[in-house]
Amino acid sequence: MAAGGRGFDIRFNEAELQQLLHSPDGPVARRMARYGEIVTQGAKRRAPVSPRGSGGRPSGYLRSKIGWQLGRDQLGLYVDIASPARTPQGESYGLFVEVGTRPHTIRPKKPGGLLRWVSGGKVHFAKVVHHPGTSAQPHLRPALDDIRGA
C-alpha cells in the first residue's frame, strides 16, 4: 500500500522489455555498438605500425585486423572487441603486442628443422632463436579507457 491507503500496480510488458534489453536492434544494443566502434577506433589509432611490416606480415597488419562484433549469450548482449591477427604459429599476435613478451626460445616445429624469417629485406635461417622478448605496446586497454564514464 502506498501512503494514504492508495494501492498501485506495476506491470511490465515482457516482450517490450526483452526488445529493449536483448534485441540486436534495440537501444541497449545500439549503445553497445557505439561503444564497440569507439573502442575499436581508439585501438586502431594506438596500434603500433611497422613501416616495413614484421614477421612476414605487411605494414599495418595488426591495425587492419582489429574489429568488434555484437554477440549474445545466456547473460545477454555483449561486444567482443578483438584482433584475429595471428603469428605464423597460430598464436594471438595482438595479445603479445598488448602485454609484451618475456625472453623466450623459439624452435622449429619439426625436430631438426630450420626457422625462417625475413628482416631488413633479407631471409634468415636458424636452428634456434633466443628471443629477447618485447615491450608491451598497449592499444586496447587505453582504448577501453576512452569509454569510462561515457
Side-chain angles (χ1 to χ4, degrees):
M1 282 288 168
R6 295 186 195 162
F8 57 91
D9 186 21
I10 298 175
R11 295 179 192 214
F12 292 101
N13 179 328
E14 289 293 324
E16 282 293 316
L17 190 57
Q18 289 301 314
Q19 175 69 18
L20 287 170
L21 299 178
H22 300 291
S23 170
D25 57 346
V28 172
R30 286 193 303 271
R31 175 64 62 99
M32 292 176 76
R34 181 172 157 252
Y35 289 155
E37 189 59 32
I38 290 169
V39 173
T40 297
Q41 292 306 314
K44 285 185 173 197
R45 195 170 51 253
R46 292 173 175 93
V49 175
S50 173
R52 295 184 313 271
S54 173
R57 294 174 292 270
S59 178
Y61 173 73
L62 174 64
R63 180 177 285 175
S64 72
K65 296 294 183 183
I66 299 170
W68 68 272
Q69 183 175 354
L70 185 65
R72 183 175 178 185
D73 62 15
Q74 64 274 18
L75 298 177
L77 296 171
Y78 64 89
V79 173
D80 183 18
I81 300 164
S83 171
R86 300 279 178 213
T87 67
Q89 294 77 28
E91 297 159 326
S92 176
Y93 174 63
L95 176 63
F96 294 149
V97 173
E98 179 78 20
V99 300
T101 62
R102 294 186 290 207
H104 56 282
T105 301
I106 305 171
R107 299 183 192 284
K109 288 182 181 179
K110 296 180 182 177
L114 290 174
L115 297 166
R116 177 189 179 277
W117 72 97
V118 178
S119 177
K122 295 182 180 180
V123 178
H124 301 272
F125 295 93
K127 291 183 179 183
V128 65
V129 171
H130 299 286
H131 196 286
T134 58
S135 298
Q137 298 179 70
H139 52 283
L140 182 56
R141 287 175 291 170
L144 288 166
D145 289 340
D146 290 346
I147 62 169
R148 288 194 194 272

